[in-house]
Amino acid sequence: MGSCLSAESRSPLPGSPSASLGVRKRKNSKKRFGSSRSSSFEYRKDDHLSKIPGRLFYNGATELASLFTQQGKKGTNQDAMIVWENFCSRNDTIFCGVFDGHGPYGHMVAKRVRDSLPQKLNAQWEVNTKSEDSPREISLNSSSLNSEDASFISADDESRVSADLEETDKEPEIFQILKYSFLKAFRMMDRELRVHTNVDCFCSGTTAVTLIKQGHDLIVGNVGDSRAVLGTRDKNNGLVAEQLTVDLKPNLPAEAERIKKCRGRVFALRDEPDVARVWLPNTDSPGLAMARAFGDFCLKDFGLIAVPDVSYRRLTNKDEFVVLATDGIWDVLSNKEVVEIVAGASSRSTAAKDIVQTAVLAWKMKYPTSKIDDCAVICLFLDSDSDNLSSAYATQEKEQKASAAQVQGSGIDREHANGPTTLGRSATVRNEANDEGAIQETSNDEGEDGTEDDMVLDDYSALEGVTRVNTLLNLPRYKPGK
């Protein structure tokens, strides 16, 4: 989530293009983004989308998924999420997505992408499935784009697509089709944001980590620094975490090289040397902490792209669940910790909430002078046994009972015989949160008409500083095309 750290940027310098617009122009612009007409339209659209069967985008759970989002301490919750079972009336197909907005209108961008991207992806899927071209020809077409598309896909992405062509015959047909569908849908989504009249995306944007699961095929499309992690079993039947996506940040060599070739700058601030940011060529703004994103058109000519990194996995019976989450989770919790929390959840329906609660406590301990970031989590369970807990938890519970029986038979004190377990650690964390009185549920998201239950933390006196934000909002003092 981004934050406004500079009030100076709201007052244009004399002689700048923004200053020539005048006070009346600024008032009209403000009315455009907050008018009652626009709000009522958005409400009617959200109301319609909420009635689509199998589509869930607020806190809750289904037989296969658990969702939870919570507002941080930086302002409006700019995270959005969606689970769509029987995706667009496709049997045995599910779509999931988590979106992390940033900038002054990041919450609007995230929700716009959440609502529009799935339908665009489905439309492209339909077109490519019915196409007479072979999957190999589709892949070739994706690397031989027109001039407009060439500006969308950078040089390193083109070379990656060309390299992938060598293994096209080894890839399943569904991946070849959906890979091209992801590329086309993401490009169309970014184009739509550029011309959208109700959402200002010039210095606002969003990340997106999305997946489509159909049967045993899992295809993931990622833009930005949100992340997807798989909970799976190793050869010893131990539960391990496997990261499915790459955090597309400016410190990656390939991303930094592309940005610099386009005259963008990449460097970290002195106060946060571990956070590389993207800057305009001649202005210390906007300081975006990711190398790819929807929107942020002030940087699109300087190396920022919205091309998804698309990957494929053939699921097996060892794969148990996938966790999609925004960077508010991954900044304070490791992949292993998140997988352990899901495995130790008392039920599937609370798994996502348990992750968020643990992350909130971790923010307080690890970054006491920082404001807690927004958090959004989706836990997608890969088997259909909804009456039981995850097999990870069930196995763990059996082991605990067996151990307890042995201890009881030997006369050893059970309280001290069982060592610390994932379940015990997670339960302790949750009890600590309840004892503190730090977490309470409330409805907070205006965009969802009170249906999203956010958790509001008591004011934390130490949280006066603001660090680790995605955008340092020192806005450019010009308008595009002027």
Side-chain angles (χ1 to χ4, degrees):
M1 180 187 120
S3 285
C4 294
L5 300 186
S6 175
E8 176 188 359
S9 62
R10 300 177 184 177
S11 302
L13 293 175
S16 66
S18 298
S20 64
L21 298 176
V23 176
R24 177 176 296 180
K25 184 68 174 180
R26 288 197 298 271
K27 287 183 178 180
N28 290 340
S29 178
K30 185 178 294 185
K31 184 181 293 184
R32 186 184 70 181
F33 300 121
S35 66
S36 60
R37 180 178 180 182
S38 175
S39 299
S40 62
F41 172 77
E42 294 296 331
Y43 173 80
R44 289 195 300 271
K45 181 176 180 181
D46 285 348
D47 184 61
H48 167 70
L49 291 172
S50 66
K51 295 179 181 179
I52 297 177
R55 188 180 185 276
L56 185 65
F57 54 88
Y58 49 83
N59 293 345
T62 68
E63 292 182 353
L64 294 177
S66 172
L67 301 82
F68 198 83
T69 183
Q70 173 182 317
Q71 180 180 343
K73 301 291 288 185
K74 299 178 182 178
T76 304
N77 188 353
Q78 295 192 305
D79 288 357
M81 56 188 181
I82 180 176
V83 169
W84 194 336
E85 297 180 9
N86 294 322
F87 178 49
C88 292
S89 301
R90 293 175 181 269
N91 294 330
D92 197 23
T93 304
I94 185 169
F95 173 88
C96 297
V98 167
F99 311 93
D100 186 357
H102 51 264
Y105 303 106
H107 58 294
M108 299 174 68
V109 182
K111 288 182 180 179
R112 174 63 60 182
V113 175
R114 176 200 68 189
D115 294 341
S116 299
L117 181 62
Q119 297 177 359
K120 287 178 169 54
L121 184 54
N122 176 66
Q124 290 301 315
W125 192 358
E126 292 283 353
V127 170
N128 295 330
T129 301
K130 297 177 182 178
S131 174
E132 296 180 356
D133 293 337
S134 67
R136 181 174 180 84
E137 288 171 335
I138 291 177
S139 298
L140 286 169
N141 291 337
S142 67
S143 63
S144 57
L145 304 172
N146 58 34
S147 58
E148 183 179 2
D149 296 336
S151 63
F152 180 79
I153 298 183
S154 62
D156 63 308
D157 292 287
E158 290 176 346
S159 61
R160 182 182 305 173
V161 171
S162 299
D164 288 346
L165 293 178
E166 299 176 0
E167 299 185 357
T168 296
D169 294 334
K170 301 178 183 179
E171 297 172 344
E173 181 178 348
I174 186 174
F175 175 54
Q176 297 172 32
I177 292 175
L178 277 175
K179 181 176 182 179
Y180 186 46
S181 300
F182 268 98
L183 290 170
K184 292 282 287 186
F186 275 57
R187 182 185 64 210
M188 293 173 63
M189 186 72 250
D190 208 46
R191 287 178 182 170
E192 180 182 296
L193 291 173
R194 183 184 290 271
V195 299
H196 205 286
T197 58
N198 293 326
V199 183
D200 183 359
C201 302
F202 186 60
C203 289
S204 298
T206 185
T207 68
V209 57
T210 60
L211 68 80
I212 287 180
K213 175 186 174 292
Q214 185 176 62
H216 294 285
D217 296 308
L218 184 70
I219 297 91
V220 182
N222 178 48
V223 161
D225 57 0
S226 294
R227 188 184 302 172
V229 171
L230 175 71
T232 186
R233 294 280 174 177
D234 60 16
K235 60 182 180 180
N236 298 320
N237 203 37
L239 189 65
V240 295
E242 183 173 335
Q243 189 167 324
L244 298 177
T245 59
V246 176
D247 298 345
L248 298 170
K249 296 184 177 183
N251 61 336
L252 295 178
E255 303 295 313
E257 181 181 1
R258 181 192 67 247
I259 294 168
K260 292 175 182 178
K261 283 182 178 179
C262 297
R263 299 188 299 116
R265 296 181 296 159
V266 177
F267 63 87
L269 296 175
R270 183 178 302 174
D271 295 338
E272 44 178 23
D274 59 331
V275 183
R277 297 181 180 276
V278 184
W279 310 85
L280 289 167
N282 301 311
T283 307
D284 289 341
S285 65
L288 192 65
M290 62 206 68
R292 306 190 190 193
F294 286 111
D296 296 301
F297 294 108
C298 64
L299 287 171
K300 281 293 164 65
D301 292 333
F302 303 103
L304 185 75
I305 59 175
V307 180
D309 185 26
V310 186
S311 59
Y312 171 82
R313 183 182 181 91
R314 178 70 178 180
L315 298 173
T316 69
N317 56 4
K318 292 183 176 292
D319 301 326
E320 298 195 358
F321 54 84
V322 178
V323 178
L324 306 179
T326 57
D327 65 338
I329 299 295
W330 308 114
D331 280 347
V332 293
L333 297 178
S334 68
N335 297 344
K336 180 181 178 181
E337 288 172 330
V338 168
V339 167
E340 289 178 347
I341 293 169
V342 177
S346 59
S347 67
R348 289 186 172 187
S349 61
T350 64
K353 184 175 181 180
D354 290 348
I355 294 174
V356 172
Q357 289 184 352
T358 306
V360 168
L361 295 177
W363 270 96
K364 291 181 180 180
M365 292 185 290
K366 292 185 177 182
Y367 304 109
T369 61
S370 298
K371 293 187 176 181
I372 300 171
D373 200 358
D374 297 335
C375 297
V377 177
I378 293 176
C379 298
L380 174 65
F381 298 94
L382 302 176
D383 65 85
S384 58
D385 188 5
S386 60
D387 294 331
N388 298 322
L389 307 180
S390 73
S391 57
Y393 174 77
T395 301
Q396 186 181 69
E397 188 178 35
K398 290 178 182 179
E399 293 173 353
Q400 289 177 350
K401 288 181 178 179
S403 176
Q406 293 176 358
V407 171
Q408 186 175 9
S410 61
I412 303 175
D413 184 3
R414 284 186 297 173
E415 181 178 356
H416 298 89
N418 289 335
T421 62
T422 303
L423 175 62
R425 185 182 62 80
S426 301
T428 302
V429 171
R430 290 196 295 273
N431 289 335
E432 288 176 355
N434 293 332
D435 293 340
E436 272 187 17
I439 301 178
Q440 56 183 351
E441 296 186 13
T442 184
S443 178
N444 198 16
D445 196 321
E446 297 177 0
E448 303 301 347
D449 194 29
T451 57
E452 291 191 4
D453 299 324
D454 293 318
M455 298 161 53
V456 178
L457 304 176
D458 294 336
D459 288 337
Y460 219 54
S461 58
L463 301 181
E464 296 299 330
V466 180
T467 60
R468 302 185 67 84
V469 294
N470 288 339
T471 310
L472 305 180
L473 198 60
N474 180 12
L475 298 181
R477 309 184 193 281
Y478 56 82
K479 295 287 184 179
K482 293 190 178 182

